[in-house]
């Protein structure tokens, strides 16, 4: 199945490279920076190429309130690499947006100016609510029922509730897998006390913030973003990422608890060698899993569905497809 997926992607890339009118969106997140190259086929979003680099823009922001020079360097290098990849596909236009780390850092304006000067890219730093809205637009291309969507990012977690392809309410909470890892986990492997403190803080914050927010059941619980997709690849033991196998797969609360037990007993180095987990997520995946565990707790749900379309596809649709339709 993995070989079939890789073959399909390779054939798609060859075919799509020959097509013109390519566009690109770039999401500068707290943990990763991602680019989607696509085309607008009569109002339908056609994905052509997806790239990800783990730039860890949220490094140290909790402690200093500023973007770390090393993080800025990593991200600038990733954006330069993305620009070269986009040139190979003859991309005609870009939209770049920054999320939690760039929202919170005091020196973001200086970094935006540096990117503009060196690469010519304009970056829009969007609010948590705008980020949630883009996530909903992405998911809405795949599901049209009553949805409660969560997006566990590096610096924040977004909740979006919608019906009939329309957002009813949304919120952003400043708890993410990078932020929680830096605040609570100092041992390797983490101590029981560290995990307990993190778990208690997440539950207390989620319960407080979502009181009066959660919709009445039934609804479909949907997970988007790197934590959700990574847990799906861990569960399925995928050696290489395959959208076909991740998209619309499910994870139960019991399965998540088993994954947490396995992750918690391993060092970062041991996690880096796990089948299904990208090495650069090894240090933060446990915090992401605890954030998800507490989403199960506050909603009372026992299973969620993974969606491989998220705010990246939502941004592409919003800024290039909807505006031209």
């Amino acid at each position: 199945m993995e070989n079939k997926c890789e073959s399909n992607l390779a054939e798609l890339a060859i075919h799509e490279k020959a097509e013109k009118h390519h566009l690109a969106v770039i999401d500068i997140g707290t943990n990763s920076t991602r680019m989607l190259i696509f085309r607008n086929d009569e109002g339908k979003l056609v994905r052509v190429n997806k790239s990800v680099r783990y730039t860890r823009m949220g490094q140290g922001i909790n402690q200093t309130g500023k973007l770390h020079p090393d993080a800025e360097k990593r991200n600038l290098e990733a954006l330069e690499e993305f620009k070269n990849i986009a040139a190979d596909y003859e991309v005609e236009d870009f939209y770049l947006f920054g999320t939690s780390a760039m929202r919170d850092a005091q020196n973001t304006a200086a970094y935006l100016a540096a990117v503009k000067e060196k690469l010519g890219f304009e970056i829009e730093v969007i609010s948590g609510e705008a980020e949630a809205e883009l996530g909903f637009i992405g998911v809405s291309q795949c599901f049209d029922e009553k949805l409660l969507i969560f997006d566990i990012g590096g610096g924040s977690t977004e909740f979006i509730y919608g019906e009939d392809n329309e957002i009813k309410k949304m919120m952003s909470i400043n708890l993410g897998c990078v932020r929680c890892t830096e605040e609570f986990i100092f041992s390797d492997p983490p101590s029981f006390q560290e995990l307990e403190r993190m778990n208690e803080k997440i539950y207390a914050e989620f319960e407080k913030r979502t009181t009066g927010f959660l919709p009445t059941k039934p609804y479909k619980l949907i997970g988007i973003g790197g934590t959700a997709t990574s847990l799906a690849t861990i569960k399925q033991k995928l050696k290489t990422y395959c959208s076909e196998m991740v998209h619309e797969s499910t994870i139960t609360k019991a399965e998540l608890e088993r994954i947490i037990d396995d992750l918690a007993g391993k060092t970062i180095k041991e996690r880096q060698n796990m089948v299904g987990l990208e090495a650069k997520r090894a240090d933060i995946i446990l915090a992401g899993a605890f954030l998800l565990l507490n989403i199960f707790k506050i909603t009372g749900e026992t299973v969620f569905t993974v969606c491989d379309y998220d705010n990246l596809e939502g941004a592409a649709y919003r800024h290039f497809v909807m505006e031209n339709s």
Side-chain angles (χ1 to χ4, degrees):
M1 189 67 171
E2 289 168 43
N3 290 337
K4 174 179 178 290
C5 188
E6 289 169 8
S7 173
N8 288 349
L9 289 173
E11 288 173 13
L12 180 66
I14 291 167
H15 171 71
E16 295 293 356
K17 235 175 172 178
E19 297 282 350
K20 303 302 179 187
H21 311 302
H22 289 145
L23 303 160
V25 291
I26 297 176
D27 165 19
I28 304 171
T30 302
N31 183 51
S32 62
T33 296
R34 304 177 300 149
M35 176 173 70
L36 170 67
I37 297 174
F38 65 98
R39 60 187 172 86
N40 178 0
D41 185 4
E42 297 181 350
K44 183 183 177 185
L45 183 74
V46 179
R47 302 195 293 185
V48 173
N49 176 276
K50 230 175 179 178
S51 304
V52 60
R53 300 294 179 268
Y54 292 95
T55 56
R56 198 59 65 89
M57 282 293 273
Q59 178 186 346
I61 284 181
N62 260 7
Q63 291 75 35
T64 67
K66 293 182 178 180
L67 295 172
H68 194 285
D70 291 347
E72 292 181 334
K73 182 174 182 290
R74 288 191 298 267
N75 199 68
L76 196 64
E77 288 170 352
L79 292 177
E80 188 170 16
E81 187 182 355
F82 284 176
K83 189 174 183 179
N84 291 332
I85 294 170
D88 195 33
Y89 283 88
E90 300 181 33
V91 167
E92 297 175 354
D93 200 3
F94 292 85
Y95 171 67
L96 287 80
F97 64 101
T99 59
S100 179
M102 300 185 84
R103 282 196 294 269
D104 294 348
Q106 300 161 13
N107 58 339
T108 294
Y111 181 67
L112 297 181
V115 171
K116 171 69 174 172
E117 180 186 348
K118 293 178 182 176
L119 299 175
F121 282 146
E122 297 270 6
I123 302 169
E124 180 181 8
V125 180
I126 63 173
S127 68
E129 288 70 25
E131 184 180 357
E133 185 177 1
L134 293 180
F136 181 80
I137 293 170
V139 173
S140 293
Q141 295 176 63
C142 311
F143 302 94
D144 57 10
E145 59 248 74
K146 221 170 143 180
L147 303 173
L148 178 61
I149 303 163
F150 65 85
D151 181 0
I152 299 169
S156 63
T157 297
E158 276 70 51
F159 290 95
I160 315 105
Y161 172 64
E163 295 177 26
D164 303 319
N165 289 315
E166 182 183 336
I167 294 177
K168 297 300 182 183
K169 47 188 173 179
M170 54 188 159
M171 68 160 54
S172 179
I173 299 174
N174 263 0
L175 288 175
C177 48
V178 173
R179 197 185 295 269
C180 287
T181 299
E182 289 188 351
E183 185 173 346
F184 294 103
I185 299 178
F186 304 99
S187 309
D188 186 26
S191 69
F192 174 81
Q193 290 78 12
E194 288 170 348
L195 296 179
E196 190 71 14
R197 279 195 295 271
M198 179 172 69
N199 191 45
E200 288 173 358
K201 167 70 181 290
I202 293 169
Y203 179 74
E205 189 69 11
F206 275 5
E207 186 183 42
K208 181 176 74 174
R209 292 291 307 279
T210 60
T211 298
F213 173 86
L214 295 175
T216 55
K217 298 180 180 184
Y219 53 76
K220 184 184 279 286
L221 185 64
I222 301 283
I224 61 175
T227 293
T229 56
S230 293
L231 290 167
T233 58
I234 291 171
K235 174 190 166 180
Q236 297 181 53
K237 294 183 167 56
L238 298 182
K239 291 181 181 177
T240 55
Y241 190 85
C242 180
S243 177
E244 291 176 10
M245 296 184 71
V246 169
H247 185 56
E248 295 193 42
S249 65
T250 61
I251 297 176
T252 66
K253 183 170 182 280
E255 287 168 338
L256 176 65
E257 288 170 340
R258 285 195 291 273
I259 291 172
I260 287 175
D261 286 344
D262 187 30
L263 292 170
K266 286 180 165 62
T267 64
I268 292 172
K269 188 171 183 181
E270 287 169 336
R271 280 181 239 143
Q272 287 172 339
N273 294 317
M274 285 178 65
V275 177
L277 178 61
E278 290 175 286
K280 291 187 177 178
R281 280 194 177 272
D283 59 333
I284 60 170
I285 187 61
L286 192 53
F290 269 95
L291 286 157
L292 175 50
L293 181 64
N294 282 283
I295 291 171
F296 275 135
K297 286 180 184 175
I298 61 168
T299 61
E301 295 293 311
T302 57
V303 63
F304 83 95
T305 300
V306 183
C307 181
D308 194 42
Y309 280 60
D310 56 28
N311 57 8
L312 201 56
E313 284 79 10
Y317 197 78
R318 157 61 63 83
H319 287 272
F320 292 110
V321 179
M322 291 169 71
E323 287 185 357
N324 296 318
S325 60

